[in-house]
Amino acid sequence: MKVLIKDVRLAFIESLWTPKQYQGAGPFRRSATFLIVPGSDNDKLIEAAIQKVAADKFGKKAATVLAGLRGNSNKCAYMDGNTKADYDGFPGMMYLASHRKDADGPVLVIDTNKAPLSEGSGKPYAGCYVNASVDIYAQDGQNTGIRSGLIGVQFLRDGDSFGGASRSDGSEFEDLGNGVEEAEDFA
């Protein structure tokens, strides 16, 4: 079920552009994690999608299956952020871990004006705010779980960068014009 979450903080984006294997094994995939305020419209939207896809996939057993999946990050993409309390931004939040198989192609990453962004552009970054398109789905069989497929990310606005690196919007610098005058030769 395709879901658009809006104005959420982005975390763990080291494989947004360049696919990596999960813990060094399995298929290569692109990933991003989104921080969700509990009780927010985004939280309600994700929960409704989870309930819908679980009911569609598991029928009358949906509540029982979901109860067994909740709290296990290998089984449920939507988790309590307090389970990752050592990471910036996670305490008191929910988080949605989304992935895209490398074979499915790159993730759409765009700016506020829908212009494509590249890895070297400096945005999005961990700690900024984004809109994200994800596909919530239920999987049964050997790997039963509730998953989140990563479709696209739109940079929305700046936020405090996670990991301690400060960001600049340029306002702390003065305008030096088109060039800097050469220093006088005092020799």
Side-chain angles (χ1 to χ4, degrees):
M1 175 175 203
K2 198 174 193 181
V3 175
L4 179 64
I5 52 177
K6 297 178 180 180
D7 197 12
V8 296
R9 287 192 87 183
L10 182 59
F12 297 139
I13 66 161
E14 55 277 345
S15 60
L16 181 61
W17 281 280
T18 305
K20 294 186 175 142
Q21 292 175 300
Y22 177 67
Q23 297 181 341
F28 282 84
R29 63 187 188 173
R30 292 167 169 87
S31 303
T33 301
F34 307 99
L35 300 178
I36 312 296
V37 176
S40 68
D41 288 345
N42 289 316
D43 178 52
K44 292 172 186 168
L45 191 63
I46 293 166
E47 284 294 343
I50 289 171
Q51 295 297 324
K52 168 93 171 90
V53 300
D56 291 350
K57 180 65 83 177
F58 308 118
K60 294 178 183 179
K61 297 187 269 181
T64 303
V65 172
L66 277 178
L69 301 176
R70 299 274 189 178
N72 181 339
S73 62
N74 290 323
K75 302 276 183 191
C76 188
Y78 196 49
M79 296 284 298
D80 183 340
N82 291 320
T83 62
K84 291 190 178 281
D86 291 345
Y87 295 100
D88 288 344
F90 281 75
M93 303 293 277
M94 295 294 291
Y95 72 89
L96 181 67
S98 298
H99 310 284
R100 182 178 186 85
K101 293 178 194 169
D102 186 33
D104 292 335
V107 174
L108 175 68
V109 183
I110 59 175
D111 206 343
T112 55
N113 62 358
K114 292 186 163 185
L117 291 170
S118 64
E119 188 168 7
S121 69
K123 56 184 181 178
Y125 55 89
C128 75
Y129 291 82
V130 298
N131 296 328
S133 179
V134 298
D135 181 23
I136 306 290
Y137 63 98
Q139 183 177 8
D140 63 2
Q142 183 179 1
N143 295 313
T144 299
I146 299 296
R147 313 286 182 217
S148 175
L150 184 56
I151 299 170
V153 176
Q154 180 182 36
F155 175 81
L156 182 62
R157 61 186 168 90
D158 287 316
D160 291 335
S161 181
F162 293 148
S166 297
R167 301 192 63 81
S168 173
D169 64 2
S171 62
E172 69 269 26
F173 298 103
E174 65 182 86
D175 185 342
L176 299 175
N178 291 333
V180 178
E181 292 181 29
E182 290 186 30
E184 293 181 32
D185 188 2
F186 290 105

